[in-house]
Amino acid sequence: QLLQELFEEQVRVHPQSTAVSCEGESLSYAELNARANQLAWHLRERGVGPDRLVGICMERSLGMVVGLLGILKAGGAYLPLDPSYPAERLAYMLGDAAPSVVLTQERLKERLPQSAAEVVTIDTDWESIGKRPRRDPALRPQGLSADSLAYVIYTSGSTGKPKGVMVEHRNVVRLFAATQDWFG
Protein backbone atom coordinates (compact mmCIF):
# COMPACT_ATOMS: atom_id res chain seq x y z
CA GLN A 1 0.00 0.00 0.00
CA LEU A 2 0.88 3.67 -0.32
CA LEU A 3 0.88 6.11 2.60
CA GLN A 4 -1.98 8.12 1.13
CA GLU A 5 -4.04 4.93 0.77
CA LEU A 6 -3.64 4.24 4.50
CA PHE A 7 -4.78 7.80 5.22
CA GLU A 8 -7.77 7.51 2.89
CA GLU A 9 -8.86 4.35 4.73
CA GLN A 10 -9.07 6.46 7.89
CA VAL A 11 -11.05 9.14 6.03
CA ARG A 12 -13.64 6.52 5.06
CA VAL A 13 -13.84 5.06 8.59
CA HIS A 14 -13.64 8.30 10.64
CA PRO A 15 -14.54 11.26 8.37
CA GLN A 16 -15.66 13.59 11.17
CA SER A 17 -13.01 12.61 13.73
CA THR A 18 -10.15 15.00 14.39
CA ALA A 19 -7.19 14.12 12.17
CA VAL A 20 -4.82 16.88 13.21
CA SER A 21 -4.75 19.79 15.63
CA CYS A 22 -2.21 22.55 16.13
CA GLU A 23 -2.26 25.73 18.18
CA GLY A 24 -6.00 25.62 18.85
CA GLU A 25 -7.01 24.78 15.27
CA SER A 26 -8.04 21.36 14.01
CA LEU A 27 -9.14 19.55 10.88
CA SER A 28 -11.29 16.44 10.61
CA TYR A 29 -10.14 13.60 8.39
CA ALA A 30 -12.65 14.72 5.73
CA GLU A 31 -11.48 18.35 5.88
CA LEU A 32 -7.79 17.41 5.77
CA ASN A 33 -8.44 15.05 2.88
CA ALA A 34 -10.32 17.71 0.88
CA ARG A 35 -7.57 20.31 1.34
CA ALA A 36 -4.81 17.81 0.54
CA ASN A 37 -6.74 16.80 -2.59
CA GLN A 38 -6.96 20.41 -3.74
CA LEU A 39 -3.23 20.81 -3.28
CA ALA A 40 -2.58 17.48 -5.03
CA TRP A 41 -4.51 18.63 -8.12
CA HIS A 42 -2.56 21.92 -8.05
CA LEU A 43 0.77 20.06 -7.83
CA ARG A 44 -0.17 17.64 -10.61
CA GLU A 45 -0.78 20.64 -12.86
CA ARG A 46 2.87 21.52 -12.15
CA GLY A 47 4.13 18.12 -13.26
CA VAL A 48 4.37 16.43 -9.86
CA GLY A 49 4.05 12.67 -10.11
CA PRO A 50 5.85 9.47 -9.19
CA ASP A 51 9.39 9.98 -7.87
CA ARG A 52 9.20 13.76 -8.44
CA LEU A 53 10.46 15.63 -5.40
CA VAL A 54 8.63 18.55 -3.86
CA GLY A 55 10.45 20.55 -1.20
CA ILE A 56 8.46 21.62 1.82
CA CYS A 57 9.84 24.48 3.88
CA MET A 58 7.19 25.26 6.46
CA GLU A 59 6.79 25.77 10.17
CA ARG A 60 4.79 23.14 12.04
CA SER A 61 1.17 23.90 11.27
CA LEU A 62 -2.02 22.47 9.82
CA GLY A 63 -0.76 23.77 6.48
CA MET A 64 2.38 21.66 6.78
CA VAL A 65 0.29 18.50 7.21
CA VAL A 66 -1.88 19.52 4.24
CA GLY A 67 1.35 20.04 2.28
CA LEU A 68 2.88 16.67 3.13
CA LEU A 69 -0.31 14.78 2.36
CA GLY A 70 -0.98 16.83 -0.79
CA ILE A 71 2.47 15.97 -2.13
CA LEU A 72 1.89 12.27 -1.53
CA LYS A 73 -1.61 12.39 -3.04
CA ALA A 74 -0.17 14.06 -6.15
CA GLY A 75 2.07 10.99 -6.44
CA GLY A 76 5.22 12.90 -5.52
CA ALA A 77 7.75 12.57 -2.74
CA TYR A 78 8.52 15.26 -0.20
CA LEU A 79 11.83 16.79 0.75
CA PRO A 80 11.66 18.38 4.24
CA LEU A 81 13.52 21.70 4.36
CA ASP A 82 13.65 22.97 7.93
CA PRO A 83 13.32 26.77 7.84
CA SER A 84 15.71 27.00 10.81
CA TYR A 85 18.58 25.47 8.79
CA PRO A 86 21.39 27.78 7.70
CA ALA A 87 20.99 29.16 4.18
CA GLU A 88 24.05 27.19 3.00
CA ARG A 89 22.50 23.87 4.06
CA LEU A 90 19.18 24.70 2.40
CA ALA A 91 21.00 25.75 -0.78
CA TYR A 92 22.99 22.51 -0.80
CA MET A 93 19.87 20.37 -0.31
CA LEU A 94 17.93 22.23 -3.01
CA GLY A 95 20.84 21.95 -5.44
CA ASP A 96 21.51 18.29 -4.69
CA ALA A 97 17.90 17.05 -4.67
CA ALA A 98 16.62 19.47 -7.36
CA PRO A 99 12.91 19.45 -6.46
CA SER A 100 10.62 20.77 -9.19
CA VAL A 101 8.40 22.64 -6.70
CA VAL A 102 8.92 23.99 -3.18
CA LEU A 103 5.95 24.55 -0.86
CA THR A 104 6.42 27.25 1.74
CA GLN A 105 4.64 29.97 3.69
CA GLU A 106 4.80 33.61 2.65
CA ARG A 107 6.76 34.61 5.77
CA LEU A 108 9.45 31.98 4.95
CA LYS A 109 9.73 32.64 1.23
CA GLU A 110 12.70 35.00 1.56
CA ARG A 111 14.65 32.36 3.56
CA LEU A 112 14.70 30.05 0.55
CA PRO A 113 17.88 30.20 -1.51
CA GLN A 114 17.57 30.65 -5.26
CA SER A 115 16.84 27.43 -7.13
CA ALA A 116 15.16 26.24 -10.30
CA ALA A 117 12.13 25.06 -8.30
CA GLU A 118 8.78 26.77 -8.66
CA VAL A 119 7.82 28.25 -5.28
CA VAL A 120 4.23 27.81 -4.10
CA THR A 121 3.26 29.72 -0.97
CA ILE A 122 0.53 27.55 0.47
CA ASP A 123 -1.03 30.33 2.54
CA THR A 124 -1.14 33.23 0.08
CA ASP A 125 -1.69 30.97 -2.97
CA TRP A 126 -4.59 29.12 -1.31
CA GLU A 127 -7.21 31.25 -3.08
CA SER A 128 -6.03 29.67 -6.34
CA ILE A 129 -5.26 26.22 -4.86
CA GLY A 130 -8.69 26.12 -3.20
CA LYS A 131 -10.42 26.26 -6.60
CA ARG A 132 -9.20 22.75 -7.40
CA PRO A 133 -11.43 19.68 -6.92
CA ARG A 134 -11.90 18.38 -3.40
CA ARG A 135 -12.24 14.79 -4.64
CA ASP A 136 -9.41 12.27 -4.41
CA PRO A 137 -7.10 12.25 -7.40
CA ALA A 138 -6.52 8.84 -8.97
CA LEU A 139 -4.81 6.85 -6.23
CA ARG A 140 -2.18 5.31 -8.44
CA PRO A 141 -0.92 7.56 -11.20
CA GLN A 142 0.92 5.54 -13.81
CA GLY A 143 4.25 4.41 -12.40
CA LEU A 144 3.35 4.90 -8.72
CA SER A 145 3.90 1.82 -6.57
CA ALA A 146 5.02 0.79 -3.10
CA ASP A 147 8.58 1.01 -4.48
CA SER A 148 8.13 4.71 -5.31
CA LEU A 149 9.74 7.43 -3.22
CA ALA A 150 7.73 8.77 -0.30
CA TYR A 151 10.37 11.22 0.88
CA VAL A 152 14.05 12.09 0.87
CA ILE A 153 15.62 13.11 4.16
CA TYR A 154 19.08 14.59 4.56
CA THR A 155 21.36 13.34 7.31
CA SER A 156 24.29 15.25 8.71
CA GLY A 157 26.68 13.04 6.75
CA SER A 158 30.02 11.77 8.01
CA THR A 159 31.89 13.89 5.44
CA GLY A 160 30.39 17.14 6.68
CA LYS A 161 28.09 17.35 3.63
CA PRO A 162 24.46 16.32 4.14
CA LYS A 163 23.51 13.06 2.43
CA GLY A 164 20.08 12.36 0.99
CA VAL A 165 18.42 9.13 2.07
CA MET A 166 15.61 7.96 -0.20
CA VAL A 167 12.69 6.30 1.60
CA GLU A 168 10.07 4.37 -0.34
CA HIS A 169 6.40 3.94 0.59
CA ARG A 170 6.93 0.27 1.41
CA ASN A 171 9.53 1.17 4.07
CA VAL A 172 7.16 3.49 5.94
CA VAL A 173 4.13 1.20 5.55
CA ARG A 174 6.22 -1.68 6.96
CA LEU A 175 7.17 0.51 9.94
CA PHE A 176 3.51 1.39 10.55
CA ALA A 177 2.55 -2.30 10.40
CA ALA A 178 5.37 -3.30 12.76
CA THR A 179 4.41 -0.66 15.34
CA GLN A 180 0.61 -0.99 15.04
CA ASP A 181 0.34 -2.75 18.40
CA TRP A 182 2.28 0.04 20.13
CA PHE A 183 0.38 3.01 18.73
CA GLY A 184 -2.96 1.63 17.54
Side-chain angles (χ1 to χ4, degrees), residues 6-7 14 23 27 34 51 61 71 75 78 86 91 108 138 142 147-148 156:
L6 293 175
F7 174 78
H14 306 287
E23 297 181 0
L27 292 173
D51 296 327
S61 63
I71 293 165
Y78 63 88
L108 299 175
Q142 188 172 2
D147 293 329
S148 296
S156 58

Side-chain angles (χ1 to χ4, degrees), residues 84-156:
S84 69
Y85 284 163
E88 302 80 36
R89 181 177 172 99
L90 290 173
Y92 176 81
M93 292 166 63
L94 285 168
D96 188 55
S100 57
V101 176
V102 173
L103 293 179
T104 192
Q105 295 155 307
E106 186 65 35
R107 67 183 169 275
L108 299 175
K109 193 174 179 180
E110 64 186 43
R111 287 201 39 85
L112 288 173
Q114 289 288 74
S115 78
E118 177 184 355
V119 175
V120 174
T121 52
I122 199 168
D123 47 3
T124 56
D125 290 340
W126 193 261
E127 186 175 329
S128 172
I129 296 166
K131 293 178 182 174
R132 304 304 187 284
R134 296 171 61 93
R135 71 180 184 282
D136 291 329
L139 279 179
R140 297 255 178 146
Q142 188 172 2
L144 187 63
S145 72
D147 293 329
S148 296
L149 284 178
Y151 64 90
V152 172
I153 189 122
Y154 275 76
T155 66
S156 58

Side-chain angles (χ1 to χ4, degrees), residues 21-109:
S21 60
C22 182
E23 297 181 0
E25 295 182 278
S26 64
L27 292 173
S28 70
Y29 279 96
E31 293 166 328
L32 176 56
N33 191 54
R35 289 186 191 185
N37 287 340
Q38 290 173 309
L39 180 59
W41 288 106
H42 186 78
L43 292 172
R44 281 194 177 175
E45 290 170 9
R46 278 143 187 78
V48 174
D51 296 327
R52 296 288 304 270
L53 282 177
V54 176
I56 183 161
C57 184
M58 298 179 73
E59 294 170 340
R60 290 175 189 255
S61 63
L62 297 180
M64 184 174 101
V65 177
V66 169
L68 294 171
L69 192 54
I71 293 165
L72 293 171
K73 287 169 124 331
Y78 63 88
L79 170 69
L81 301 163
D82 189 326
S84 69
Y85 284 163
E88 302 80 36
R89 181 177 172 99
L90 290 173
Y92 176 81
M93 292 166 63
L94 285 168
D96 188 55
S100 57
V101 176
V102 173
L103 293 179
T104 192
Q105 295 155 307
E106 186 65 35
R107 67 183 169 275
L108 299 175
K109 193 174 179 180

Side-chain angles (χ1 to χ4, degrees), residues 175 178-184:
L175 176 65
T179 59
Q180 175 65 25
D181 291 340
W182 299 346
F183 300 109

